[in-house]
Amino acid sequence: MNAQAHTSAPLGAPVERTSSRALASLLLAAGVSALVVLADQLLDSWAERHEMAAWLVLWGIAVAAIVLLRGITRVVARKAMSALDAWSAGVAQRRADERLWTMAQTDARLMADLQAALDRSGSTPAKDVMDLTQRRVARILRDRLYYI
C-alpha cells in the first residue's frame, strides 16, 4: 500500500514555492559574486603585499554580502514570481477567451449561450453578426489581445 503523509500549511499562511527560492538563490549568488569581484579589483594592488589579510577581507565581504542581500533577493524573487504568475494567468485567460470565441462562431448553441450571458450582464444583445464583430474588435482592442 502506498501511503503518503501530506502536510499542509494553514489557510492564511503564504507558501513559498521552490521556483522563487531558486530565483532568490541565483540572485544572491550573482550579487555576492559581483561584490567579491569588485572588492578583488579594488584590493588587487594591496593584496600582493598582504595576501592573508586580503584573503580574510574578501571572505568578510562575501559573508557580509550574503547577510545583507539575503532578504532583498527573497523579496525581489517573490515579486518577480508573482508578476510572472499574474502575466501567465492573463495569457491563459486570453487564450481561453479566443478559443471560446472561435468555437462560438461555429456553434449556434454556444453563441446563444454567450448572448444570454451578455443579456444577464446588462449589455444589450447583438442585433446581427456585424454588431457581434464590432463588439469583439472593441474587446480585443480594449484588452490588448492583438499581436503585432
Side-chain angles (χ1 to χ4, degrees), residues 13-113:
V15 177
E16 186 174 2
R17 296 187 196 112
T18 305
S19 56
S20 67
R21 288 182 185 171
L23 181 60
S25 297
L26 286 173
L27 289 173
L28 181 62
V32 169
S33 62
L35 287 175
V36 168
V37 167
L38 179 67
D40 185 49
Q41 293 294 321
L42 293 174
L43 294 173
D44 192 30
S45 63
W46 180 72
E48 291 177 7
R49 292 173 282 154
H50 305 87
E51 290 177 9
M52 186 61 118
W55 183 78
L56 288 173
V57 167
L58 281 177
W59 271 104
I61 289 172
V63 169
I66 289 171
V67 169
L68 293 175
L69 294 177
R70 184 178 55 189
I72 295 169
T73 56
R74 283 184 183 169
V75 170
V76 168
R78 283 185 190 136
K79 286 183 180 181
M81 292 307 296
S82 65
L84 286 172
D85 287 343
W87 173 78
S88 178
V91 168
Q93 181 64 43
R94 283 192 297 272
R95 284 183 183 164
D97 288 345
E98 289 172 1
R99 281 193 307 268
L100 180 65
W101 181 253
T102 303
M103 288 173 19
Q105 287 177 335
T106 59
D107 187 0
R109 292 177 298 167
L110 185 56
M111 185 61 82
D113 288 343

